[in-house]
Amino acid sequence: MQFSGYPEPGELVVGRVDEIEDFGVFVDLEEYEDKRGLVHVSEVASGWIKNVRDHVGVDERVVCKVLEVDEDAQQIDLSIKDVNDHQRSDKIQEWKSEQKAEKWMELAFGEDMSDEQYSTVANALFAEFGSLYDGFEQAAIHGHEALESTDLSEEDADAIVDTARENVSVPYVQVTGYVDLRAPGPAGVETVRQALQAAEGNGEVPDEIDLEVTYVGAPEYRIRVQAPNYKTAEAQLEEAAGRAREAIESAGGTGDFHRERRTDDE
């Protein structure tokens, strides 16, 4: 994705060296549509420079700091020397991650997706997560819950979550479900408490699983499972809900498991 408009002073940008002159280097900005900047010879490297070509080459990818922007003159002044090794490495990694996310967009919506649809989805992810990559990563970890506060349609959210789960490598995943627990009589509160303990596994949940049960609003409780992969997470979620239902139904109550939240406020 290329941004329209101009970068901000102080921003780090990825570019490709297009032309080298004695007075400086012209750089095409990879992240901005039809934008080109100039690195003056004094900003190429620290110290005296005898030959600019000793420091950069044509088609070389560089990370630059934006010094000044004059939109009226369509001029962007850049610096290479003001970017340290750590900043350069982080920025390149960020840029590469966005390239991956671009491919995920194609997988999710097809290579022939319209510009309008692309902009709608991309803008929604940027507004919520700050980047395409982070949007897909959060969708991989948290599923549809991560996208609830965006303006994405249900169909678009489904496409993102499905693609993210198949392509994004994350250290863990998280799934969420809900149980409605009802128990009659004076012992009802204690019965529900025991059902919740059963849902939490009574200390028998595997070490690699993080399972949490929290109150949402009577009679609804949230079960959140964090696990190394989706298959394990989904299995643990269903088992937790099953334990809660079994415990409360054996005491004469009722339990209902569902994936979407029903209570309006917590």
Side-chain angles (χ1 to χ4, degrees), residues 25 27-28 38 48-49 54 59 86 91 105 122 145 148 157 166 171-172 192 196 203 212 219 235 260 265:
V25 178
V27 177
D28 289 334
L38 171 65
W48 182 69
I49 297 177
D54 290 338
D59 287 335
H86 179 71
K91 182 61 184 179
M105 287 283 282
E145 187 177 359
E148 285 180 356
E166 291 178 5
Y172 66 90
V192 170
L196 294 175
E212 179 186 39
E260 300 298 327
D265 36 68

Side-chain angles (χ1 to χ4, degrees), residues 143-200:
H144 287 83
E145 187 177 359
L147 305 176
E148 285 180 356
S149 58
T150 69
D151 294 329
L152 292 168
S153 68
E154 184 176 346
E155 182 179 3
D156 288 347
D158 286 343
I160 290 171
V161 171
D162 290 345
T163 301
R165 287 181 168 177
E166 291 178 5
N167 295 277
V168 182
S169 298
V170 294
Y172 66 90
V173 297
Q174 185 170 281
V175 296
T176 302
Y178 300 84
V179 286
D180 294 347
L181 302 174
R182 298 178 175 86
V189 173
E190 178 61 21
T191 299
V192 170
R193 187 184 68 80
Q194 292 177 358
L196 294 175
Q197 287 182 336
E200 292 175 338

Side-chain angles (χ1 to χ4, degrees), residues 170-174 208-210 225-233:
V170 294
Y172 66 90
V173 297
Q174 185 170 281
E208 70 272 17
I209 304 301
D210 184 11
V225 178
Q226 183 174 296
N229 56 70
Y230 278 104
K231 182 177 181 180
T232 301

Side-chain angles (χ1 to χ4, degrees), residues 12-263:
L12 297 182
V13 293
V14 176
R16 187 176 292 277
V17 175
D18 176 59
E19 184 180 347
I20 299 175
E21 301 290 349
D22 291 339
F23 59 83
V25 178
F26 289 98
V27 177
D28 289 334
L29 304 188
E30 300 273 18
E31 300 159 291
Y32 286 86
E33 187 176 5
D34 299 324
K35 295 299 182 292
R36 193 185 197 211
L38 171 65
V39 182
H40 187 268
V41 63
S42 63
E43 294 295 336
V44 171
S46 299
W48 182 69
I49 297 177
K50 181 178 180 180
N51 188 337
V52 178
R53 291 169 179 80
D54 290 338
H55 300 273
V56 292
V58 173
D59 287 335
E60 180 180 345
R61 182 171 293 124
V62 293
V63 176
C64 304
K65 181 178 180 180
V66 179
L67 299 179
E68 290 187 40
V69 176
D70 185 338
E71 295 187 25
D72 292 334
Q74 298 185 348
Q75 182 173 325
I76 304 171
D77 293 332
L78 306 170
S79 174
I80 294 175
K81 74 175 185 179
D82 283 356
V83 181
N84 62 42
D85 290 342
H86 179 71
Q87 291 172 319
R88 184 178 298 106
S89 176
D90 284 352
K91 182 61 184 179
I92 288 294
Q93 183 57 53
E94 175 188 314
W95 180 79
K96 288 181 177 179
S97 293
E98 286 301 278
Q99 300 305 298
K100 287 184 181 179
E102 291 276 355
K103 294 180 180 179
W104 297 335
M105 287 283 282
E106 290 185 3
L107 290 174
F109 302 103
E111 294 182 5
D112 57 348
M113 70 182 299
S114 67
D115 291 341
E116 181 180 359
Q117 184 184 22
Y118 184 96
S119 295
T120 297
V121 174
N123 288 338
L125 294 180
F126 267 97
E128 184 68 20
F129 305 103
S131 72
L132 293 179
Y133 183 88
D134 287 345
F136 274 92
E137 184 176 59
Q138 290 303 307
I141 295 171
H142 301 291
H144 287 83
E145 187 177 359
L147 305 176
E148 285 180 356
S149 58
T150 69
D151 294 329
L152 292 168
S153 68
E154 184 176 346
E155 182 179 3
D156 288 347
D158 286 343
I160 290 171
V161 171
D162 290 345
T163 301
R165 287 181 168 177
E166 291 178 5
N167 295 277
V168 182
S169 298
V170 294
Y172 66 90
V173 297
Q174 185 170 281
V175 296
T176 302
Y178 300 84
V179 286
D180 294 347
L181 302 174
R182 298 178 175 86
V189 173
E190 178 61 21
T191 299
V192 170
R193 187 184 68 80
Q194 292 177 358
L196 294 175
Q197 287 182 336
E200 292 175 338
N202 295 313
E204 298 181 2
V205 175
D207 291 340
E208 70 272 17
I209 304 301
D210 184 11
L211 192 155
E212 179 186 39
V213 182
T214 55
Y215 175 75
V216 176
E220 189 174 30
Y221 297 84
R222 178 189 292 111
I223 304 175
R224 180 175 284 128
V225 178
Q226 183 174 296
N229 56 70
Y230 278 104
K231 182 177 181 180
T232 301
E234 292 286 355
Q236 288 294 325
L237 176 61
E238 292 180 7
E239 289 179 18
R243 290 193 297 267
R245 285 202 310 267
E246 183 179 353
I248 204 161
E249 289 173 1
S250 66
T254 60
D256 176 30
F257 174 61
H258 50 96
R259 296 305 298 262
E260 300 298 327
R261 178 179 164 189
R262 294 172 180 169
T263 304

